[in-house]
């Protein structure tokens, strides 16, 4: 695989020299006020279709006809700049755009609209800025990345108490979540109420639901790429906010002015600290809080080299002390740690590379103290990752990307240690190790002014290796045989080489409309061991093995894209069809706690999802927002479940509607409105209950009964529909170049809808019947938050 990669690198370098005489411009586009690079800024020749956009690092390269005299650079919310080209030669440009104030936005922003929705080769991809995410009304007034993306078509929420999200029929583990290129295995705080992404540190996000390009892989359903801010390299700035449940504080500024910068952003819940003095003595030992911190530094070493260093550290801590016996204490903790070192290098105006070394860890730690003894339980997952991504602007009609990605995984299912009295406890579920690698190549070919094709291939390989001691179980894979097999360090246990072809194409009908299609084949080698629909901190990630085959999905998508009123409004209709194979569920009654034979509890089947997504969006002006609607069907089929018949997936929703409106009333006031509606989740409920007599109460002489529920088909019932309306308003108290202060007011669930969380049953003895009771979490919830910046 490495030989092929280096041969490809040599080939590209050779051809790059062959095209060296081509006249091109390249460089970075940045914000003039902060020095932050701008992602997706448009660079084009006026009154022509020749143009490009900046990449994730704000870099661009564009080949120009020799007669080119001027180039227009534009970005929504910024003043456009017309750059004169005085020499016909390859040249490096440094471009700074100035942010527009409120009045200028209203008048001028319309001259800057882009037709990317129609003419780009991307489909099933949506981007949101960090500022847009911060403006949305959410529970407790805490801005949240994962809550924001569930307002988009094709993306469903796992519920009010979950940051898990479901994309085109996939599960929460089938989304690749990246924070500055580092994988985030558990993206939630507060058992799923909030995500780990601090909105003050988020620059922008992009979610890819289909047509996944060849440079991404490892998950079946989607890519969520969260880019963190770089920090202001011109002046020191401080910002923060105080809300109902947490407080935030950020600091940023130049290390060396206009050459390097830093950003530090932290937040913590504080209810546990404020409430503790007022709690009764018997429950003062109980508390729950989370904290996290983001750090980023970047260094401009010259025109050709930039270094980025970023990291994240976060923890959730739950402490419990028994009211009855104060010596009984439990401590639960979990969290993510990531670190990323990135090097951008420009070999020539046409060849750009980013090389990254990445570390990430997710760990769970539990301590139990019973007074006479206790034990500790540790588990987690750790990765070391090295990757390199090349972008070659080979020709005005060809944009070539290629690179490699290597990850070394360490799986720690569980370490148990402790004592009860004089008896020591020591046990461990065997660690597992795996190598995962990929090389890829893609070419975006502009065939003519109407047709653009993007074709690529990703070659992947996964190798589960020793050292490992494998316990051998019986033919049903349930009972230990007493025999084990040992693998030496580096010895292959299970090896899976695979190919993933990728294709997308665009046919431009006219300046305002186009048709796009895509095909994606993806494999997934890591799997989430969970019995819940949401992602909880106690879930375990397990690797593919000789028994657990890699998950596989094919996705076909077709879409029609149309802009209106000179690109003021964007709209699209996308159809998708997605069969999935080697899907994983657990046997009924499966034991997931400290189980050496976790694989033996798994069953394997297939999935299918198909649907239609409708999206209309207005990106600029005083009034902006979107409306999205999805019609879909999602099923699963397992031979061991539901008599082998297909059943609705737990988060299948026939109808899913979201409406978001934002309005700037004046300089001081702005408001947001959100409405969501979704078909109720599929669920399994008993269709009968039987009472069995098992004895007589010796005190009363009355018979004693036990109740047994009878279940028929899986997920054959529907919970009531979910719908909710939220509103928010922001009032800017003061806004100058030196200080800004604002208040955010929001109301979650305005009309107090009782949305079902789950249903339980209790017998009514007097009426001789069983009644169903619905549990819901949040009534109407008003929130207030103060934000500042200086």
């Amino acid at each position: 695989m490495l030989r092929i990669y280096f041969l490809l690198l040599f080939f590209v370098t050779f051809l790059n020299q062959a095209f060296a005489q081509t006249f091109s411009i390249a460089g970075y586009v940045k914000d003039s006020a902060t020095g932050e690079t701008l992602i997706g800024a448009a660079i084009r020749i006026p009154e022509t279709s020749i143009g490009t956009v900046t990449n994730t690092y704000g870099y661009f390269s564009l080949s120009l006809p020799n007669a080119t005299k001027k180039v227009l650079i534009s970005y929504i919310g910024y003043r456009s700049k017309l750059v004169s080209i005085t020499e016909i030669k390859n040249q490096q440009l440094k471009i700074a755009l100035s942010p527009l104030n409120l009045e200028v936005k209203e008048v001028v922003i319309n001259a800057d609209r882009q037709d990317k929705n129609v003419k780009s080769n991307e489909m099933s991809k949506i981007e949101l800025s960090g500022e847009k995410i911060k403006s949305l009304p959410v529970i407790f007034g805490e801005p949240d990345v994962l809550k924001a993306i569930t307002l988009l078509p094709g993306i469903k929420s796992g519920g009010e108490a979950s940051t898990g999200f479901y994309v085109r029929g996939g599960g929460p583990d089938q989304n690749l979540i990246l924070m500055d290129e580092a994988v985030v295995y558990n993206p939630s705080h507060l058992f799923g109420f909030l995500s780990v992404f601090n909105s003050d540190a988020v620059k922008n996000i992009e979610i890819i639901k289909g047509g996944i390009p060849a440079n991404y892989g490892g998950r079946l359903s989607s890519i969520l790429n969260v880019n963190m801010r770089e920090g202001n390299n011109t002046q020191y700035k401080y910002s923060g906010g105080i809300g109902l449940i947490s407080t935030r504080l950020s600091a940023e500024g130049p290390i060396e002015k206009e050459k390097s910068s830093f950003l530090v952003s932290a937040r913590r819940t504080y209810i546990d600290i404020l409430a503790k003095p007022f709690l009764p003595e018997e429950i003062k030992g109980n508390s729950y809080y989370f904290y996290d911190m983001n750090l980023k530094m970047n260094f401009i070493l010259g025109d050709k080299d930039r270094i980025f260093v970023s990291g994240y550290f976060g923890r959730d801590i739950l402490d419990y002390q028994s009211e009855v016996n104060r010596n009984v204490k439990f401590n639960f903790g979990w969290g993510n740690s990531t670190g990323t070192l990135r090097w951008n290098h420009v070999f020539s105006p046409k060849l750009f590379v980013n090389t990254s070394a990445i570390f990430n860890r997710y760990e769970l730690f539990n301590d139990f103290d019973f007074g006479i003894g206790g034990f500790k339980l540790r588990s987690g997952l750790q990765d070391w990752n090295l990757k390199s991504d090349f972008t070659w602007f080979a020709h005005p009609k060809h944009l070539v990307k290629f690179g490699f990605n290597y990850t070394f995984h360490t799986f720690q299912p569980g370490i148990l240690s402790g004592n009860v009295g004089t008896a020591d406890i020591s046990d461990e579920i065997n660690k597992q190790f795996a190598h995962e690698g990929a090389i890829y190549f893609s070419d975006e070919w502009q065939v003519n002014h109407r047709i653009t094709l993007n074709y690529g291939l990703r070659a992947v390989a996964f190798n589960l290796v020793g050292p490992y001691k494998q316990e051998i179980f019986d033919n049903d894979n349930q009972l230990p045989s007493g025999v084990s097999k040992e693998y030496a360090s580096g010895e292959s246990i299970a090896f899976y080489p695979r190919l993933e072809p990728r294709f997308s194409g665009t046919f431009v009908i006219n300046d305002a409309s186009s048709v796009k299609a895509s095909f994606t084949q993806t494999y997934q080698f890591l799997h989430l061991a969970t019995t819940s629909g949401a992602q909880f901190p106690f879930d375990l990630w397990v690797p593919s093995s000789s028994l657990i085959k890699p998950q596989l999905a094919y996705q076909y998508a077709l879409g029609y894209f149309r802009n209106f009123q000179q690109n003021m409004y964007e709209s699209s209709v996308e159809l998708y069809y997605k069969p999935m194979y080697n899907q994983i569920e657990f046997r009924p009654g499966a034991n997931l706690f400290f189980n050496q034979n976790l694989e033996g509890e798994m069953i394997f089947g297939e999935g299918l999802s198909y649907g239609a997504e409708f999206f209309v969006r207005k990106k600029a002006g005083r009034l902006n927002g979107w409306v999205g609607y999805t019609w879909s069907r999602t099923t699963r089929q397992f031979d061991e479940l539901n008599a082998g018949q297909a059943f609705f997936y737990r988060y299948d929703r026939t109808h899913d509607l979201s409406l978001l409106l934002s309005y700037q009333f004046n300089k001081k006031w702005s408001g947001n409105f959100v409405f969501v509606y979704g078909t109720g989740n599929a669920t399994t409920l008993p269709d009968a209950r039987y009472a069995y007599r098992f004895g007589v109460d010796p005190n009363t002489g009355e018979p004693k009964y036990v109740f047994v529920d009878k279940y028929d088909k899986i997920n054959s019932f529907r919970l009531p529909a979910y719908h909710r309306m939220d509103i928010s308003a922001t009032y800017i108290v003061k806004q100058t170049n030196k200080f800004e202060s604002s208040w955010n007011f929001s109301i979650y669930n305005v009309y107090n809808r009782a949305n079902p969380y789950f249903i339980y049953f209790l017998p009514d003895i007097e009426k001789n019947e069983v009644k169903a009771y619905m549990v819901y979490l949040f009534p109407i919830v008003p929130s207030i938050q103060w934000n500042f910046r200086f």
Side-chain angles (χ1 to χ4, degrees), residues 572-593:
S572 63
V573 179
E574 292 190 37
L575 309 177
Y576 71 90
Y577 182 83
K578 180 178 165 186
M580 296 165 280
Y581 303 93
N582 300 327
Q583 301 299 284
I584 297 175
E585 288 284 352
F586 286 93
R587 304 177 189 276
N591 173 28
L592 303 187
F593 179 76

Side-chain angles (χ1 to χ4, degrees), residues 218-391:
R219 299 294 187 274
L220 297 190
S221 291
S222 76
I223 309 297
L224 175 61
N225 198 359
V226 181
N227 296 301
M228 312 309 289
R229 294 178 50 232
E230 298 159 11
N232 194 315
N233 69 7
T234 62
Q235 55 185 324
Y236 294 101
K237 290 288 184 179
Y238 306 91
S239 61
I242 300 174
L244 291 184
I245 62 173
S246 72
T247 186
R248 317 180 318 275
L249 182 63
S250 298
E252 58 186 303
I255 300 174
E256 183 178 355
K257 193 170 183 179
E258 296 186 351
K259 290 187 177 181
S260 57
S261 64
F262 74 92
L263 169 69
V264 179
S265 189
R267 60 178 175 168
R268 189 195 190 279
T269 52
Y270 55 82
I271 293 297
D272 60 309
I273 299 174
L274 297 180
K276 200 164 189 175
F278 306 100
L279 294 176
E281 191 64 33
E282 59 270 18
I283 62 172
K284 278 192 174 181
N286 303 333
S287 68
Y288 180 51
Y289 62 95
F290 78 79
Y291 62 89
D292 56 30
M293 176 179 289
N294 293 86
L295 169 67
K296 190 165 185 177
M297 297 182 292
N298 73 93
F299 304 88
I300 302 174
L301 305 182
D303 291 341
K304 294 188 175 182
D305 296 282
R306 296 188 177 201
I307 298 290
F308 299 85
V309 181
S310 57
Y312 168 86
F313 184 84
R315 288 292 182 268
D316 283 66
I317 305 295
L318 171 63
D319 292 315
Y320 169 78
Q321 187 173 27
S322 172
E323 299 178 33
V324 179
N325 185 346
R326 305 299 287 169
N327 293 321
V328 177
K329 302 176 183 179
F330 300 156
N331 174 266
F332 302 92
W334 60 91
N336 299 276
S337 308
T338 73
T340 304
L341 173 64
R342 290 183 287 181
W343 170 45
N344 288 180
H345 179 67
V346 179
F347 285 100
S348 73
K350 293 186 177 182
L351 186 59
F352 174 89
V353 63
N354 173 69
T355 300
S356 302
I358 305 164
F359 167 82
N360 64 281
R361 174 190 294 163
Y362 173 69
E363 54 188 334
L364 171 69
F365 42 93
N366 300 323
D367 296 335
F368 303 87
D369 187 350
F370 301 103
I372 60 171
F375 63 89
K376 298 180 178 181
L377 178 64
R378 302 288 185 268
S379 63
L381 168 61
Q382 177 178 291
D383 291 344
W384 290 96
N385 177 218
L386 179 66
K387 64 193 293 284
S388 193
D389 300 290
F390 288 81
T391 303

Side-chain angles (χ1 to χ4, degrees), residues 28-33 38 78-79 81 94-98:
Y28 293 88
V29 180
K30 67 177 184 178
D31 183 315
S32 63
L38 300 178
Y78 287 75
R79 191 184 303 276
K81 178 174 285 190
K94 297 178 181 178
I95 300 167
L97 300 183
S98 302

Side-chain angles (χ1 to χ4, degrees), residues 146 149-150 152-159 162-175 207 209 221-222 528 530 532-536 576 578 609 613 630 632 634 636 649-653 656 681:
L146 299 188
I149 65 172
T150 58
L152 300 169
I155 305 174
K156 299 174 175 29
S157 168
S162 171
T163 51
F165 60 99
Y166 303 79
V167 179
R168 292 185 172 177
D173 64 322
Q174 294 175 351
N175 306 306
I207 178 78
K209 304 176 292 181
S221 291
S222 76
L528 189 65
T530 178
S532 67
Q535 190 172 342
F536 286 98
Y576 71 90
K578 180 178 165 186
S609 183
E613 299 170 0
T630 304
S632 63
T634 303
R636 295 289 191 268
Y649 185 47
R650 62 174 64 91
Y651 288 101
D652 168 79
R653 289 181 189 166
D656 193 78
N681 290 340

